Amino acid sequence: MPTGLHRLAAALDAQLADTDAAYAATYPGTDGARQPVHTVYLPADRYDAGIVARWGADALDTLDTHIDGPADLAAVTGIEPELAETVLPLVEAKLRTEPIEDLRIDFEDGFTRPGIPEHERDADEDAHVARAAAELATDPTATPFVGIRFKSFEAATRRRGLRTLDVFVAELTGKCALPDGFVVTLPKVTAPEQVAAMVTVCEHLEATYPLAAPLRFEIQIETPQAICGPDGTAAVATMIRAARGRCSGLHYGTYDYSAACDIAAEYQAMDHPVADHAKATMQVAAAGTGVRLSDGSTNRLPVGTRDEIRAAWGLHACLIDRSLRRGFYQGWDLHPAQLPTRYAATFAFYRRSLATAAGRVAAYIDPALSSGYLDEPATARALAAFLLRGRSCGALTEKEVCDRTGTNLDHLARLAGRPTVVK
C-alpha cells in the first residue's frame, strides 16, 4: 500500500476505533449454544419431578390414538406424505427420550390460584416456590433447559415477583447447582428501566448465592410499550442494550399483546397482523446481538373429540411451519397433546430442505461441485446454521449432514460463525 494510503488507513482506524468497538460489543453474533425448539409453560402448582415423563407418555398416547400411520399424519398436518414416513418415527422417538426441551415453571399468569383467599396467597406462593425448587433439585437435568417465570416488575407485582425469584434460587442452590440451561423469564415489560432493574437483581443473586455462571433472562414482549416507546423509537432494541449482555431471548406473548392492541378475542392469534408487526420489530432489534427469538403459543388445544383434536393439530402444525419459515425457531407449548405437532412440523421443516441445503454447502466448500446456486458467505452461514439447528433438535442425524455436505460438524460450525459445535 502506498505511503499516503497507509497514513489515511491509520487515520481512519483512529477515527473509527470507538465505532468499531461499539459495534463489536452490541452485535457479537451467536454464541453457538443450542436453542430449544419450544418452551413449555407449566403452572407451578402442577409441577413435579415426574411431569416430563408424564407429558411424553400422554403425548405418545394421544398420537397413537388419533393418528393412523404416516399417511394420516400427512393428511392432518399438511406434511408431504413422503416426509411423514420419516418424520413419524422420529417424533415417536423424541417423545420417548426428550419430550420437553425447555420447561418454564410458571408463577405468573399460569399461577392464578382462584380458590385461595387474598390474605393467604403470599404464603401459598411461598410454599409452592419451595416445593417446586425441591422437586427440580431431584432431577435438574430432566430437560436440557429449565427455569421459572415470576411476576412482572410493574409496581403492583414487583415485590411478589422479586420474592419468588429470590426464594426459588435460594432453595435450589441450597440443594444443588443451578442447571446449565437455567434461565428466568421477565414478563410484561413496559420500559427499558425494568430490564436494567433485572440486571441489578441478577447481580444481587450472584453476590448472595453460589452461582457458577452469570444469570441470564428472557424478556417477554407482550405489551405494545415494549415495541414502540413513548418517543416513537423501537423500545425493544433499547431493552436489549439495557440488559448488558444478560438477555438470552425475546419471547412474544400472543394474547397479552393482542389484547393490549384491542384485538377481539376471537381474532387474537400468532398470525394476526399486529403479531407480525411486533415480531418483525423484535427480529430486526435482535439481529446480530446473539439474543434468540421465540414465537408465542396458540390457545387452540388438541382436546375433545377426535375431529377437534385433529383440527387443532392441523392449525398448530401450520402455525409452527409459518414461524419457522419466518426465522422464529422456537415457540411455546401449553399442553402435552401439542408436542406431537411441535416435533412433526419442526422435523419436517428441516428434512424438507436437507438435500438442497446440504448440496449448496457442499458446492460452496468445493467449487468443483454445482448446486445451481451462487451463494455468498452470508447465505453459506445461514445454510450451515440451518443444518446445525436440524441436527441439534433431532430432525437430522450427524451422519446424514456430514455425508451430504462432505465435511464435519466442526467445519460447519466455523462456516456458520459459531465458536463451538452444539453436542
Side-chain angles (χ1 to χ4, degrees):
M1 182 182 291
T3 302
L5 286 182
H6 274 296
R7 289 195 295 268
L8 177 59
L12 292 180
D13 286 343
Q15 181 181 340
L16 296 174
D18 290 345
T19 300
D20 292 342
Y23 185 89
T26 304
Y27 302 104
T30 180
D31 62 3
R34 175 183 176 184
Q35 180 179 6
V37 302
H38 70 166
T39 301
V40 165
Y41 277 83
L42 185 74
D45 54 312
R46 300 182 196 171
Y47 170 73
D48 63 59
I51 195 69
V52 176
R54 291 201 303 277
W55 270 52
D58 289 349
L60 268 172
D61 182 64
T62 308
L63 179 66
D64 291 343
T65 301
H66 297 288
I67 292 294
D68 302 321
D72 196 31
L73 178 68
V76 170
T77 62
I79 295 170
E80 299 89 332
E82 63 274 15
L83 269 182
E85 292 279 352
T86 303
V87 163
L88 182 56
L90 290 176
V91 171
E92 292 169 337
K94 183 77 169 181
L95 294 176
R96 291 188 184 97
T97 58
E98 193 180 71
I100 298 176
E101 290 196 356
D102 184 22
L103 177 63
R104 202 66 71 249
I105 304 168
D106 190 13
F107 288 94
E108 202 232 356
D109 281 354
F111 187 75
T112 54
R113 312 290 288 161
I116 305 298
E118 186 69 33
H119 68 280
E120 296 179 8
R121 289 191 178 181
D122 272 344
D124 177 70
E125 184 160 339
D126 286 344
H128 278 290
V129 171
R131 183 196 58 78
E135 290 282 343
L136 178 58
T138 65
D139 189 4
T141 61
T143 57
F145 304 88
V146 69
I148 68 167
R149 178 170 69 168
F150 52 92
K151 292 177 176 61
S152 79
F153 280 175
E154 292 291 290
T157 55
R158 184 179 305 143
R159 289 177 180 269
R160 179 63 260 183
L162 180 61
R163 176 172 175 78
T164 292
L165 176 58
D166 180 77
V167 172
F168 191 93
V169 173
E171 292 283 345
L172 187 57
T173 55
K175 296 175 174 63
C176 67
L178 286 187
D180 289 340
F182 187 80
V183 65
V184 297
T185 304
L186 179 65
K188 294 182 175 56
V189 180
T190 56
E193 289 79 6
Q194 293 170 338
V195 177
M198 185 63 204
V199 173
T200 301
V201 171
C202 290
E203 292 170 344
H204 165 81
L205 295 173
E206 290 164 0
T208 306
Y209 305 111
L211 306 187
L215 192 61
R216 304 190 74 193
F217 58 90
E218 302 158 342
I219 300 172
Q220 282 203 274
I221 305 301
E222 47 189 340
T223 70
Q225 294 80 16
I227 292 296
C228 183
D231 59 354
T233 59
V236 63
T238 307
M239 290 175 183
I240 293 173
R241 294 289 298 277
R244 289 164 46 191
R246 292 181 183 267
C247 177
S248 60
L250 301 175
H251 285 225
Y252 178 66
T254 306
Y255 299 99
D256 281 278
Y257 190 92
S258 299
C261 290
D262 205 25
I263 306 302
E266 184 177 354
Y267 302 101
Q268 294 173 7
M270 293 164 60
D271 56 355
H272 191 282
V274 300
D276 285 342
H277 171 260
K279 288 181 284 190
T281 304
M282 291 164 55
Q283 195 167 34
V284 172
T289 64
V291 174
R292 272 80 174 277
L293 300 170
S294 176
D295 209 336
S297 62
T298 174
N299 59 6
R300 287 282 303 278
L301 300 181
V303 296
T305 67
R306 178 180 173 88
D307 287 345
E308 288 169 338
I309 290 171
R310 289 162 66 92
W313 271 343
L315 174 63
H316 192 223
C318 179
L319 290 171
I320 292 167
D321 185 68
R322 184 180 191 273
S323 296
L324 290 166
R325 290 170 184 260
R326 284 159 173 75
F328 280 72
Y329 300 107
Q330 185 175 351
W332 298 3
D333 289 321
L334 309 174
H335 191 277
Q338 289 181 321
L339 300 183
T341 35
R342 169 64 60 184
Y343 293 120
T346 300
F347 291 172
F349 172 76
Y350 288 106
R351 298 205 65 84
R352 184 178 293 119
S353 299
L354 168 61
T356 300
R360 291 170 70 174
V361 168
Y364 182 82
I365 294 170
D366 182 358
L369 301 175
S370 175
S371 66
Y373 292 84
L374 181 61
D375 288 319
E376 296 184 353
T379 302
R381 285 196 298 273
L383 289 164
F386 173 89
L387 295 170
L388 292 171
R389 283 183 183 277
R391 189 197 67 88
S392 69
C393 73
L396 312 176
T397 68
E398 179 176 346
K399 184 178 188 305
E400 62 189 348
V401 168
C402 294
D403 286 351
R404 286 174 178 267
T405 58
T407 189
N408 56 47
L409 294 182
D410 286 330
H411 188 188
L412 282 176
R414 291 194 299 274
L415 188 60
R418 299 182 175 187
T420 58
V421 176
V422 180
K423 299 299 185 184

